[in-house]
Amino acid sequence: MRFHADLHIHSKYSRACSKDSDLEHLARWARRKGVTVMGAGDFTHPAWFERLREDLVPAEPGLFRLRAELDGEAARGLPPGVASAEVRFMLSVEVSTVYRRGGRTRKIHHLVYMPGFDAAEAFNRGVARFGDLSSDGRPTLGLDSRELLEITLACGDGAYLVPAHVWTPWFGVFGSKSGFDTIEECYGDLAGHIFALETGLSSDPAMNWRVSGLDRYRMVSYSDAHSPPRVGRESTVFDVDLDYFAVLRALRTGAGHEGTVEFFPEEGRYHLDGHRKCGVRMAPEQTREHGGICPVCGRPLTVGVLSRVEELADREEAVRPDGAAGFRNLVPLPEIVGEILGVGPQSKKVLAEVDGLIAALGPEPTILEDVPVGDIAALSPPLAEAVDRLRRGKVIREPGYDGEYGTIRLFGPGEPSPADTVTTPALF
């Protein structure tokens, strides 16, 4: 079975996350975005853990379904094309470890997965003495990354850890502010138990392929959604049985790991270097020319993902490792529709149009990747043109830096014209 998975999300108990980040809203948006397997997120938080126990029921091995699905409530009001879609949950949590190693403070984020509630409860007991689990859905723990991995593995068969958004400056395992140069440095003698890396929004697999030491890892991408509409903005594609352990085998072996759907990395918040407050954005060569110092305030720049990749790269160009899965750079459908209509991607007008498109053409990934351009043109010529450009990688890029999202556009100034955007009474 081929499906999209988004295994890095947060609940309403995580800081800076939407109050709508509950299981019902997450499941509804998973359907809209064509996501079949979702991370349940934040299982270390006591209140959220109880909600998970109450609202999830066992489905396939290691996976759960929403109890509300059993009486049809979960899909009520969704477009017909997605209302019947299956959604499964996998127990997941993002953990922040803060500690001293090698004379530096290390702040590393990790994704931890468990095949059942007993294993998750054992993990929670194991880490509770290192931090207050009730203070944040993404707990901050005062222990070494290697020790976190040891606690994870002790929870039994199927428990595993994936380093999160590995290149981001502040919290990535390779981040410029507090990271390491290799996985072995971070996880020590247990590094052999790491088999997958999350690329994060500011990098894609091709950037990682410039570092030969990463060839043996499976690249995964997930949304890190802080609100339900962000679900599925990045995802990983599998072609395996709908089964926790089948997903795990695919990540270990590569068989059934079909690749990732990614942002264009320039859209990520930390792609280039700079200072947001000073309005300074620099490419790596400019940063080197300035000695890493902001020309406005005289303080060190926030060194972003591209610079850090170039620092560790031992290849001039990306070389796809033998057997490595491919990837697609896409722009979320609401962003494309918002650009055409000249309004924000989360506006009611955009959401209504996207619902109409999903009802007519299928889930968002299908529209962006598979539906013939001619079929899209029958509903909206400007959308068809945008999707055609997207599939060919013909986009306009304004890279993000120092916490500021970048912008990816499909049209230049003056296009599409206002007359082009109204082709049918229902869509555009």
Side-chain angles (χ1 to χ4, degrees):
M1 176 181 178
R2 191 175 190 274
F3 59 86
H4 288 251
D6 182 359
L7 304 181
H8 183 179
I9 63 96
H10 291 284
S11 75
K12 62 184 179 181
Y13 292 100
S14 280
R15 293 177 185 173
C17 287
S18 167
K19 61 181 177 59
D20 289 334
S21 291
D22 54 37
L23 290 171
E24 293 76 15
H25 283 90
L26 291 168
R28 290 175 66 83
W29 279 92
R31 284 187 170 89
R32 293 169 65 103
K33 297 298 190 76
V35 172
T36 298
V37 181
M38 286 279 296
D42 299 352
F43 71 68
T44 53
H45 192 281
W48 186 244
F49 188 77
E50 287 307 309
R51 283 295 308 276
L52 296 177
R53 275 196 180 278
E54 292 172 5
D55 294 346
L56 296 179
V57 296
E60 299 77 15
L63 300 179
F64 301 85
R65 65 187 300 178
L66 193 60
R67 189 180 299 276
E69 287 183 344
L70 301 179
D71 58 17
E73 284 298 317
R76 186 161 301 188
L78 287 172
V82 300
S84 61
E86 295 181 317
V87 177
R88 297 293 186 262
F89 286 91
M90 178 186 294
L91 297 181
S92 66
V93 65
E94 182 182 16
V95 174
S96 175
T97 54
V98 180
Y99 57 99
R100 295 283 295 179
R101 175 102 77 80
R104 295 175 58 190
T105 297
R106 310 291 183 165
K107 300 180 180 181
I108 312 296
H109 285 187
H110 320 258
L111 300 172
V112 174
Y113 302 95
M114 294 289 156
F117 283 105
D118 289 346
E121 195 166 29
F123 179 84
N124 292 348
R125 288 195 302 269
V127 300
R129 65 186 185 276
F130 299 104
D132 181 1
L133 300 186
S134 65
S135 66
D136 190 355
R138 180 182 61 202
T140 298
L141 305 178
L143 83 166
D144 191 286
S145 295
R146 187 240 177 242
E147 308 313 315
L148 178 70
L149 178 54
E150 183 175 41
I151 291 171
T152 301
L153 298 173
C155 293
D157 183 44
Y160 70 101
L161 181 152
V162 174
H165 42 69
V166 294
W167 295 100
T168 54
W170 301 100
F171 299 107
V173 67
F174 302 132
S176 63
K177 295 296 185 182
S178 59
F180 298 88
D181 288 349
T182 67
I183 293 296
E184 289 77 10
E185 280 186 78
C186 182
Y187 296 101
D189 60 309
L190 297 181
H193 294 278
I194 301 296
F195 43 81
L197 306 175
E198 187 189 38
T199 62
L201 303 182
S202 296
S203 87
D204 61 17
M207 294 171 65
N208 289 265
W209 294 341
R210 291 188 58 198
V211 183
S212 63
L214 304 185
D215 287 356
R216 65 184 179 277
Y217 299 103
R218 238 63 63 195
M219 296 295 158
V220 298
S221 293
Y222 306 124
S223 70
D224 193 1
H226 286 210
S227 66
R230 299 290 191 183
V231 165
R233 61 181 176 175
E234 291 201 336
S235 64
T236 299
V237 182
F238 294 93
D239 191 358
V240 298
D241 292 338
L242 200 57
D243 177 325
Y244 177 99
F245 296 95
V247 169
L248 176 54
R249 284 192 298 272
L251 293 177
R252 286 187 183 279
T253 68
H257 174 245
E258 296 292 290
T260 56
V261 175
E262 309 260 352
F263 267 27
F264 285 88
E266 293 86 355
E267 191 171 1
R269 298 169 63 194
Y270 292 101
H271 186 70
L272 292 187
D273 313 326
H275 267 175
R276 179 172 46 175
K277 290 183 178 179
C278 298
V280 172
R281 173 174 52 193
M282 290 185 175
E285 60 273 15
Q286 295 173 301
T287 300
R288 290 192 292 269
E289 290 171 3
H290 286 82
I293 300 299
C294 175
V296 174
C297 70
R299 296 179 179 178
L301 294 163
T302 299
V303 174
V305 168
L306 184 58
S307 277
R308 188 67 174 138
V309 169
E310 292 197 354
E311 183 179 347
L312 298 184
D314 56 356
R315 294 168 173 154
E316 288 296 323
E317 302 291 337
V319 176
R320 182 172 173 175
D322 290 342
F327 67 98
R328 294 287 298 273
N329 296 114
L330 297 178
V331 178
L333 183 60
E335 291 185 18
I336 299 174
V337 174
E339 182 181 357
I340 292 171
L341 297 178
V343 296
Q346 297 190 46
S347 68
K348 290 183 179 179
K349 187 174 183 180
V350 166
L351 295 181
E353 297 292 354
V354 169
D355 276 352
L357 290 165
I358 291 173
L361 300 173
E364 181 173 329
T366 301
I367 296 172
L368 296 178
E369 297 186 75
D370 302 321
V371 175
V373 170
D375 292 354
I376 301 174
L379 295 175
S380 169
L383 179 62
E385 177 62 25
V387 169
D388 181 61
R389 294 182 186 186
L390 177 63
R391 292 176 183 176
R392 293 184 289 117
K394 301 297 184 181
V395 301
I396 302 166
R397 313 171 194 224
E398 186 176 334
Y401 68 103
D402 195 21
E404 186 78 19
Y405 279 109
T407 302
I408 304 295
R409 292 182 290 114
L410 280 306
F411 297 104
E415 59 169 354
S417 70
D420 289 336
T421 64
V422 182
T423 58
T424 74
L427 295 169
F428 303 108

